[in-house]
Amino acid sequence: MDVRSRNHVTVTGRSGAPVVMLAHGFGCDQNMWRLVVPALERDFTVVLFDHVGAGRSDLSAWSQERYATLDGYVDDVLEICNELTLGPVTFVGHSVSAMMGVLAAAREPEAFAGLVLLAPSPCFVDDPVTGYRGGFSTADIDELLESLEANYLGWSGAMAPVIMGNPERPELGEELTNSFCRTDPDIARIFARVTFLSDNRADLARVGVPTLVAQCSSDAIAPPEVGAYVHARIPGSRLVTLNATGHCPQLAAPEETAAAIATFVGTAR
């Protein structure tokens, strides 16, 4: 199957410029980057794509076996990089896609000029034994997944505004709700389990490319302690706390988000 069609890959921006590859999170698609793309495409080649099962990807390419772990998505990312032959890319991974970037860069570091981990979380579940705070107890995650599996549309309507934050701008929560609701519920259930049950804490130390950890000042899904944890365990990484609030700064604060990405790409070259 053609990789470009499978993942609905689109390339825009300046030809021959440094490459920025934008990867969306759970329940979203490449449209979630639309507000940052105009600022980035002035100076960079911008690669957008949909994870299989999302947006305008080829749904026939989705299988529970391939996408039951992050590895299937990592395979896709590396295949896109190899197919486009644009040279090393700066991979910008939002939320769960941040860990896809971590795994991809650990596996094939030569494919990456750098990583931008936007609102990342290597593990959403608290670990009382080590003192790690992911933001959710095991019971919280169990309840979240049970609710999602019982009534996905209802769960989307309740959770999307919490994930988005910014209650004074309800249109943002509504957009995320609509994005969730466009996702096939069966695919969403599997992707949710991958998102909320993966534990990639041990993989952070394997990253050997320049990395920016960009966290939001207030985020119900990935609290500041998580960003600090990621920064502390990726050698040589940089940490920036955006003024943006919520879990989706590319929608809530696109100018600030684009500026952080552009500044990092400029200094990482």
Side-chain angles (χ1 to χ4, degrees), residues 179-219:
S179 179
F180 282 8
C181 291
R182 286 193 298 271
T183 305
D184 180 282
D186 291 331
I187 293 174
R189 292 183 187 106
I190 301 299
F191 196 13
R193 297 192 72 82
V194 174
T195 297
F196 291 107
L197 296 179
S198 292
D199 184 350
N200 298 105
R201 287 176 291 171
D203 297 302
L204 299 175
R206 300 169 58 207
V207 175
V209 302
T211 300
L212 175 69
V213 180
Q215 65 182 15
C216 294
S217 59
S218 175
D219 184 345

Side-chain angles (χ1 to χ4, degrees), residues 134-156:
F136 298 86
S137 68
T138 300
D140 290 336
I141 294 295
D142 288 344
E143 182 179 349
L144 182 152
L145 293 174
E146 288 171 5
S147 175
L148 183 152
E149 292 175 5
N151 181 2
Y152 177 64
L153 296 182
W155 178 88
S156 298

Side-chain angles (χ1 to χ4, degrees), residues 59-246:
L59 296 184
S60 69
W62 187 87
S63 72
Q64 182 170 344
E65 180 180 9
R66 180 177 176 91
Y67 297 105
T69 69
L70 289 179
D71 289 334
Y73 297 97
V74 173
D75 290 342
D76 288 354
V77 167
L78 294 173
E79 287 175 18
I80 293 169
C81 290
N82 293 330
E83 168 68 20
L84 295 181
T85 63
L86 293 173
V89 308
T90 296
F91 180 90
V92 182
H94 174 236
S95 193
V96 65
S97 283
M99 291 307 109
M100 297 176 195
V102 164
L103 294 173
R107 193 190 304 176
E108 294 187 19
E110 66 279 1
F112 299 92
L115 297 178
V116 177
L117 310 181
L118 186 62
S121 178
C123 180
F124 285 96
V125 184
D126 298 337
D127 184 354
V129 174
T130 64
Y132 172 80
R133 179 170 180 253
F136 298 86
S137 68
T138 300
D140 290 336
I141 294 295
D142 288 344
E143 182 179 349
L144 182 152
L145 293 174
E146 288 171 5
S147 175
L148 183 152
E149 292 175 5
N151 181 2
Y152 177 64
L153 296 182
W155 178 88
S156 298
M159 278 298 298
V162 174
I163 293 170
M164 177 59 70
N166 297 275
E168 74 285 357
R169 300 165 66 189
E171 70 278 6
L172 296 179
E174 182 177 347
E175 176 170 347
L176 191 60
T177 299
N178 291 337
S179 179
F180 282 8
C181 291
R182 286 193 298 271
T183 305
D184 180 282
D186 291 331
I187 293 174
R189 292 183 187 106
I190 301 299
F191 196 13
R193 297 192 72 82
V194 174
T195 297
F196 291 107
L197 296 179
S198 292
D199 184 350
N200 298 105
R201 287 176 291 171
D203 297 302
L204 299 175
R206 300 169 58 207
V207 175
V209 302
T211 300
L212 175 69
V213 180
Q215 65 182 15
C216 294
S217 59
S218 175
D219 184 345
I221 303 301
E225 296 94 328
V226 175
Y229 180 94
V230 174
H231 167 54
R233 281 157 181 78
I234 295 181
S237 65
R238 310 175 201 175
L239 174 67
V240 62
T241 299
L242 305 174
N243 290 324
T245 60

